[in-house]
Amino acid sequence: LGDFKPGKRIISVGDGGFVLAGNVNGDSGPRPLLYSVKNGQAIWLPTPPRCQFALASSVNKKGEAVGCNENNAVLWRANGAIADLGGREAFAMDLNDQGAIAGYKVLPGGYGGYSTPVVWNADGGMIAIAPPQGGFGRAEAINNKGEVAGYEFQIVNGTHTSERPFKWSRTAGIVWLAVPDGANTSVAQ
């Protein structure tokens, strides 16, 4: 995989022989780098003109990757095209082999962490999967069955208390996962 210096970080390994370095200091600032184990080549994932920062978070077996350009959730397709997933202040965290993507979108006025977990369908439509109840939430992972793991951050009397993990699917909806007694934070990933 070449010479790894500080600033390069392996973030994801796809079943198809792809390795993703999520944030590498390139000529135009931090941006993602995709390695193909099959052919030994590395390619910079494209970014829009004047983009100062890009971060990739996951790669699937097709060589598609997700992440963000500045504060926009994006999908890097295997053919090199980049697709904006919808609006500013959204972050794509994981994708499955069918092209469904898990992530989160910052709520209006929600700087400081208030966000809602979302899923982008393979056709690009976005679904809010768990409106936060007094806090924020994130979808962190999605499997090939379309099941999503994530968490909601609880706020009690204005104080952040703990993260409540969940699993979500189209058929079952949200299922809140048990947190062991005595635990004050638990995150499903």
Side-chain angles (χ1 to χ4, degrees):
L1 297 177
D3 180 23
F4 270 77
K5 297 176 184 167
K8 293 185 180 181
R9 192 177 90 166
I10 298 298
I11 195 83
S12 181
V13 177
D15 290 338
F18 295 97
V19 177
L20 184 65
N23 182 354
V24 178
N25 291 322
D27 293 338
S28 61
R31 50 191 284 217
L33 191 60
L34 183 65
Y35 294 92
S36 172
V37 175
K38 290 179 183 178
N39 65 21
Q41 293 185 356
I43 60 164
W44 290 106
L45 295 178
T47 57
R50 296 181 298 283
C51 177
Q52 295 181 10
F53 174 83
L55 175 67
S57 54
S58 185
V59 63
N60 66 14
K61 72 178 182 182
K62 297 177 196 174
E64 298 170 319
V66 294
C68 67
N69 278 327
E70 296 181 349
N71 290 328
N72 299 316
V74 294
L75 165 66
W76 287 279
R77 298 192 188 281
N79 66 6
I82 186 170
D84 188 321
L85 295 174
R88 293 195 46 77
E89 304 302 330
F91 302 88
M93 302 302 291
D94 194 22
L95 80 159
N96 65 20
D97 293 331
Q98 290 77 37
I101 300 164
Y104 61 97
K105 182 155 181 60
V106 175
L107 298 169
Y111 293 97
Y114 293 96
S115 57
T116 191
V118 297
V119 171
W120 287 273
N121 300 316
D123 65 8
M126 183 174 63
I127 302 167
I129 62 174
Q133 301 171 0
F136 73 91
R138 291 184 178 182
E140 295 283 342
I142 187 167
N143 66 20
N144 285 331
K145 295 179 189 177
E147 298 169 325
V148 174
Y151 63 94
E152 176 185 62
F153 202 99
Q154 295 297 298
I155 295 179
V156 177
N157 296 328
T159 303
H160 292 209
T161 58
S162 65
E163 293 167 345
R164 185 167 69 154
F166 67 81
K167 181 176 114 175
W168 176 90
S169 70
R170 285 182 185 267
T171 53
I174 241 184
V175 175
W176 296 103
L177 305 176
V179 177
D181 287 341
N184 65 1
T185 299
S186 181
V187 178
Q189 289 193 20

